Amino acid sequence: MNDLNTELRDLRLGERLRILRERAGLSQRALAKRANVTNATISLVEADKTNPSVGALRRILDGIPVSLSEFFAFEPEPEQVIFYQAEDLPEIGKGKLSLKRVGNSQFGRAMTILHERYEPGADTGRVMYQHEGEEGGVVVSGRIEVTVGEERRILGPGDGYYFDSRKPHRFRQVGGEPCVIVSACTPPTF
Amino acid sequence: MNDLNTELRDLRLGERLRILRERAGLSQRALAKRANVTNATISLVEADKTNPSVGALRRILDGIPVSLSEFFAFEPEPEQVIFYQAEDLPEIGKGKLSLKRVGNSQFGRAMTILHERYEPGADTGRVMYQHEGEEGGVVVSGRIEVTVGEERRILGPGDGYYFDSRKPHRFRQVGGEPCVIVSACTPPTF
DNA sequence: GCAGAGTGTTAACGATCATGAACGACCTAA
DNA sequence: TTAGGTCGTTCATGATCGTTAACACTCTGC
């Protein structure tokens, strides 16, 4: 019916699913295999030619994986393209802690990405920074002690962290080797 | 059969719907009338004896009224995990491209951080992915060709990028050495 | 006791979905 | 060029959903 079509278009299930699937780098068939449905199902859903059951949609999303709540909460945003050469990145910090920011600190940016280098002895200080947003990162080399709220851990290469920036937090380099981290925080407070 | 039943119980649609409906002070028939479905449908959904279509569920929820995102918002709560050890990070990709995600892909996350490794020959493909949000990152080691829209650059260690994810983009490893990147994207589509 | 109107449940059937198997288009390698 | 692989799409069919129409039960008022 026409009713069905308008309802399907209204939900925009297909558009969203396609975006998520492609972002995950999965073909319809690959996702279908993970999700225990057939590729035809995914094709039809993405084309808004069927109104899937909640269970089927969930199985599909599990394969990506995305939760139903994530799936039904959507949002938009704009910006421009830029590449940055290492030597062009603005250096913010001084001394034992150097920060290189990827991209400018512009309005409308959803986040800021930093390339951080902690020389031996570097410490963001006992003043525990707090600010709106969330932040996370991955340790590339060296070791660092991270304190968030009451929790404290020492992270090494390949380890990661993610927390609400409103929790007080502190980073302190440990060991003899400089520690390099790539991090992101949102919103861009720098 | 039994599979269906476990899936239905797993979703707990019925329980949630009943709670919401009763909170709104509506009988099954009263809600059915508002929602343009029949009382039988609501009865079966609440009893977990059917797996409603997304459209049907939406009509029902509209009658309460509750949005789909609200309805699914009280899904399994994200644990407040902050630190991640390298070996604990879930590996998403396969073959030449491996992705490790820092943290879970849970509702409410502002972004997702990935530790990406491109083996020689790795390529996200000529299908240029597009999705909502923004993304950026820093190359840790190796070299990679990044194409965003009409622009193309080869990035090496320390170089960075940042762009609107709605522009079509592609990553392709170049050179003999594997390429490692730490990236972040928002919103978390993984 | 007995209508009458409310509640939620259930069976049978037509409408719709999910499947399996095709299809053409597009690559890549031989 | 051909063969083999991928990709997304389409169609017929069995499986399942949503509806219609009944059902049993609980009230309330007469």
Side-chain angles (χ1 to χ4, degrees):
Chain A
M1 298 192 178
N2 209 353
D3 219 18
L4 170 65
N5 289 335
T6 52
E7 176 176 292
L8 288 176
R9 257 181 261 114
D10 200 33
L11 282 165
R12 296 184 159 218
L13 295 180
E15 180 186 342
R16 299 193 217 176
L17 175 58
R18 176 155 292 175
I19 289 168
L20 292 171
R21 176 179 61 79
E22 292 183 343
R23 180 64 185 94
L26 295 169
S27 69
Q28 290 182 349
R29 280 181 168 82
L31 177 54
K33 191 171 183 180
R34 290 195 190 198
N36 269 332
V37 298
T38 62
N39 61 306
T41 300
I42 293 174
S43 177
L44 293 170
V45 170
E46 290 189 356
D48 283 336
K49 289 185 176 174
T50 191
N51 183 0
S53 67
V54 174
L57 180 61
R58 195 186 92 147
R59 285 202 300 277
I60 293 170
L61 294 178
D62 278 349
I64 292 182
V66 171
S67 71
L68 283 163
S69 60
E70 274 181 280
F71 185 72
F72 286 113
F74 73 82
E75 49 236 273
E77 258 157 88
E79 214 69 13
Q80 58 182 4
V81 186
I82 320 175
F83 299 109
Y84 304 94
Q85 298 217 338
E87 52 269 27
D88 295 337
L89 294 176
E91 193 153 350
I92 299 173
K94 287 178 183 174
K96 291 181 174 177
L97 169 58
S98 83
L99 302 176
K100 288 192 172 187
R101 186 181 57 221
V102 176
N104 300 321
S105 177
Q106 290 177 338
F107 303 117
R109 276 284 165 80
M111 60 183 173
T112 296
I113 294 177
L114 296 172
H115 199 179
E116 313 177 13
R117 181 184 175 89
Y118 295 75
E119 298 296 337
D123 188 347
T124 58
R126 56 191 62 203
V127 175
M128 305 279 269
Y129 299 133
Q130 293 175 246
H131 48 95
E132 289 292 319
E134 299 172 30
E135 60 187 280
V138 173
V139 176
V140 173
S141 64
R143 292 163 66 76
I144 195 159
E145 176 199 84
V146 184
T147 307
V148 180
E150 301 301 316
E151 293 199 66
R152 175 171 303 173
R153 284 279 277 281
I154 292 180
L155 303 178
D159 297 340
Y161 62 92
Y162 194 102
F163 57 85
D164 185 328
S165 304
R166 286 174 304 188
K167 289 176 185 281
H169 46 284
R170 175 184 185 178
F171 291 76
R172 196 169 67 86
Q173 188 273 351
V174 297
E177 187 190 356
C179 180
V180 176
I181 296 177
V182 176
S183 71
C185 63
T186 164
T189 51
F190 291 79
Chain B
M1 300 301 268
N2 211 355
D3 222 17
L4 169 65
N5 290 334
T6 52
E7 177 176 292
L8 288 176
R9 255 181 264 115
D10 200 35
L11 282 164
R12 297 188 168 225
L13 296 179
E15 180 187 342
R16 300 193 218 175
L17 176 57
R18 177 155 291 175
I19 289 169
L20 292 171
R21 177 178 61 80
E22 291 182 344
R23 188 181 297 167
L26 295 169
S27 69
Q28 290 183 350
R29 279 181 167 83
L31 175 54
K33 190 171 183 180
R34 290 196 190 196
N36 268 332
V37 298
T38 62
N39 60 306
T41 301
I42 293 174
S43 175
L44 293 170
V45 172
E46 290 189 357
D48 283 337
K49 288 185 175 174
T50 192
N51 183 359
S53 67
V54 173
L57 180 61
R58 192 184 91 146
R59 286 201 300 277
I60 293 170
L61 293 178
D62 279 350
I64 293 182
V66 171
S67 72
L68 282 164
S69 62
E70 282 179 283
F71 185 73
F72 288 112
F74 59 101
E75 284 210 323
E77 285 297 319
E79 355 163 5
Q80 277 291 26
V81 180
I82 296 176
F83 303 110
Y84 304 92
Q85 297 217 336
E87 55 267 30
D88 295 336
L89 295 175
E91 193 152 351
I92 299 171
K94 288 176 183 175
K96 291 181 174 176
L97 170 55
S98 85
L99 302 176
K100 289 193 170 188
R101 185 181 58 219
V102 176
N104 300 319
S105 175
Q106 294 282 7
F107 177 70
R109 278 283 164 82
M111 61 183 172
T112 296
I113 294 178
L114 296 172
H115 198 179
E116 312 176 13
R117 180 184 176 89
Y118 295 76
E119 298 295 336
D123 188 349
T124 59
R126 54 191 60 202
V127 175
M128 304 280 269
Y129 300 134
Q130 294 175 250
H131 49 96
E132 291 291 321
E134 299 173 33
E135 62 187 278
V138 173
V139 176
V140 173
S141 63
R143 291 163 67 74
I144 195 158
E145 177 199 83
V146 184
T147 308
V148 180
E150 301 301 316
E151 293 198 64
R152 174 171 302 175
R153 286 279 278 283
I154 293 179
L155 304 178
D159 296 342
Y161 62 92
Y162 193 102
F163 56 84
D164 184 329
S165 304
R166 286 177 306 187
K167 290 178 182 285
H169 46 286
R170 173 186 187 178
F171 291 76
R172 195 169 67 85
Q173 188 273 350
V174 296
E177 185 190 357
C179 181
V180 176
I181 297 178
V182 175
S183 72
C185 63
T186 163
T189 50
F190 274 87

